[in-house]
Amino acid sequence: NVPVVSWLVLRGKCRGCGNPISPMYPMVELAVGLLWAWMAWRHGITLQALSHAVLGTLLLGIALTDARAFIIPHEFTFGGAALALALAFAQGVPEGVDALAGALFGAGLILLVGEAGALAFRRPAMGGGDVALMGLVGAFLGWQSVLAEYEGDRVLCAEAWVDPLEKVALWVRPDEMSQAFNFGYMFTEWNAPA
């Protein structure tokens, strides 16, 4: 079976029984092929290209399944998160740990929102598929991307004890926390001209 070509050669019908095959199948095959080609063109033949192509393929499968059956299959989300972790750890331990943190943050944030909604509205506010989906996004793209999924102004603030104090700059930057209050500041002398 050659994607797209087989459907065209068979004129959109099954070779065995002659029943029609939905044109959705070759369109999805074409979309996935174009996605993979674009990622290879954009990133070269790299683990990053592979990671983004896999994520795009998974998100397309999730979107189509959710649109047709109103379900987000765990085979896509859990399996995809496992692939994301494997690809991240293949790049190194720090990358793998970041992917794991992204998965936990993504799933945890949506679980928290869902539980708060369930308490407020006295009925389920979020399905388990939504939780797993944001875990998948976090695993592939990092915890910061989970927050970027939501429109509008937002600030992520941390209360942290960072020692030595100079290391707070590692956390407060555009790709990390928006603001951090370091408890060490409570013991710092005030010097207005400085």
Side-chain angles (χ1 to χ4, degrees), residues 97-118:
V97 171
D98 284 347
L100 182 59
L104 294 173
F105 182 78
L109 178 65
I110 299 305
L111 179 63
L112 181 64
V113 168
E115 291 301 313

Side-chain angles (χ1 to χ4, degrees), residues 59-81:
L59 291 177
L60 179 62
I62 288 168
L64 292 172
T65 305
D66 196 21
R68 287 176 41 182
F70 303 103
I71 188 170
I72 300 174
H74 288 315
E75 290 82 0
F76 285 128
T77 55
F78 291 166

Side-chain angles (χ1 to χ4, degrees), residues 27-180:
M27 289 190 307
V28 169
E29 291 170 348
L30 181 61
V32 168
L34 291 172
L35 170 71
W36 281 69
W38 180 44
M39 288 300 119
W41 174 79
R42 185 169 183 213
H43 301 290
I45 306 301
T46 62
L47 279 175
Q48 184 180 23
L50 177 62
S51 179
H52 287 163
V54 168
L55 175 61
T57 302
L58 289 166
L59 291 177
L60 179 62
I62 288 168
L64 292 172
T65 305
D66 196 21
R68 287 176 41 182
F70 303 103
I71 188 170
I72 300 174
H74 288 315
E75 290 82 0
F76 285 128
T77 55
F78 291 166
L83 280 172
L85 293 173
L87 288 167
F89 275 107
Q91 296 175 54
V93 172
E95 290 82 356
V97 171
D98 284 347
L100 182 59
L104 294 173
F105 182 78
L109 178 65
I110 299 305
L111 179 63
L112 181 64
V113 168
E115 291 301 313
L119 284 172
F121 302 117
R122 300 188 191 282
R123 61 186 174 99
M126 193 91 51
D130 300 307
V131 172
L133 175 60
M134 289 313 290
L136 169 74
V137 169
F140 271 102
L141 301 178
W143 68 267
Q144 301 92 334
S145 67
V146 173
L147 294 176
E149 294 296 317
Y150 301 96
E151 292 190 26
D153 294 334
R154 59 199 164 277
V155 170
L156 187 61
C157 181
E159 295 181 14
W161 188 284
V162 181
D163 189 34
L165 190 58
E166 293 78 26
K167 285 193 174 183
V168 77
L170 296 173
W171 295 95
V172 182
R173 58 181 200 253
D175 63 331
E176 291 288 342
M177 301 286 179
S178 302
Q179 180 178 353

